[in-house]
Amino acid sequence: RNEEVYLYGAGTMGQFCLTVLRKENIQPAGFLVSENNGESVVECVPVTELQRMERLQERAVIITVYELAAQREIAEELRRRGCRKFICMWEKE
């Protein structure tokens, strides 16, 4: 339902999620990362640092990071920046 979907995390799990979405004919608008290690594109998808993302409240985000503490930290940061449309790819209890 959202025009732009971003994957938070451009590592192994982010790229795995990208592959799954592409098989369903869903093309994410980009990867979001906390800190850019110099990569501007991964698998032909642009990589943007979270702090540089504008209009975050209008976008949907899939948190692809596997570690629970990191998921919580990322979710809190997204909330602080006005993003309410996000899910965690790997939900743990």
Side-chain angles (χ1 to χ4, degrees):
R1 288 189 262 169
N2 298 286
E3 287 185 23
E4 292 187 335
V5 175
Y6 285 80
L7 302 176
Y8 199 107
T12 302
M13 293 303 187
Q15 291 174 44
F16 172 78
C17 186
L18 175 65
T19 300
V20 171
L21 291 174
R22 283 179 169 168
K23 286 183 180 193
E24 295 298 320
N25 294 316
I26 299 170
Q27 180 61 36
F31 285 105
L32 291 177
V33 293
S34 300
E35 293 180 13
N36 195 336
N37 63 1
E39 301 267 351
S40 60
V41 176
V42 172
E43 298 281 332
C44 299
V45 177
V47 177
T48 304
E49 285 185 344
L50 180 61
Q51 65 185 8
R52 295 177 184 235
M53 179 60 64
E54 296 178 3
R55 300 181 353 258
L56 193 58
Q57 67 277 7
E58 299 172 17
R59 304 174 194 310
V61 178
I62 300 171
I63 300 172
T64 67
V65 176
Y66 187 73
E67 204 239 20
L68 184 58
Q71 287 178 14
R72 290 180 179 153
E73 186 177 312
I74 292 164
E76 184 57 35
E77 185 61 25
L78 290 171
R79 282 187 201 97
R80 274 196 294 268
R81 295 179 178 271
C83 180
R84 299 291 182 257
K85 298 181 244 179
F86 64 86
I87 61 168
C88 292
M89 181 73 178
W90 322 105
E91 300 218 43
K92 299 186 222 176
E93 296 189 26

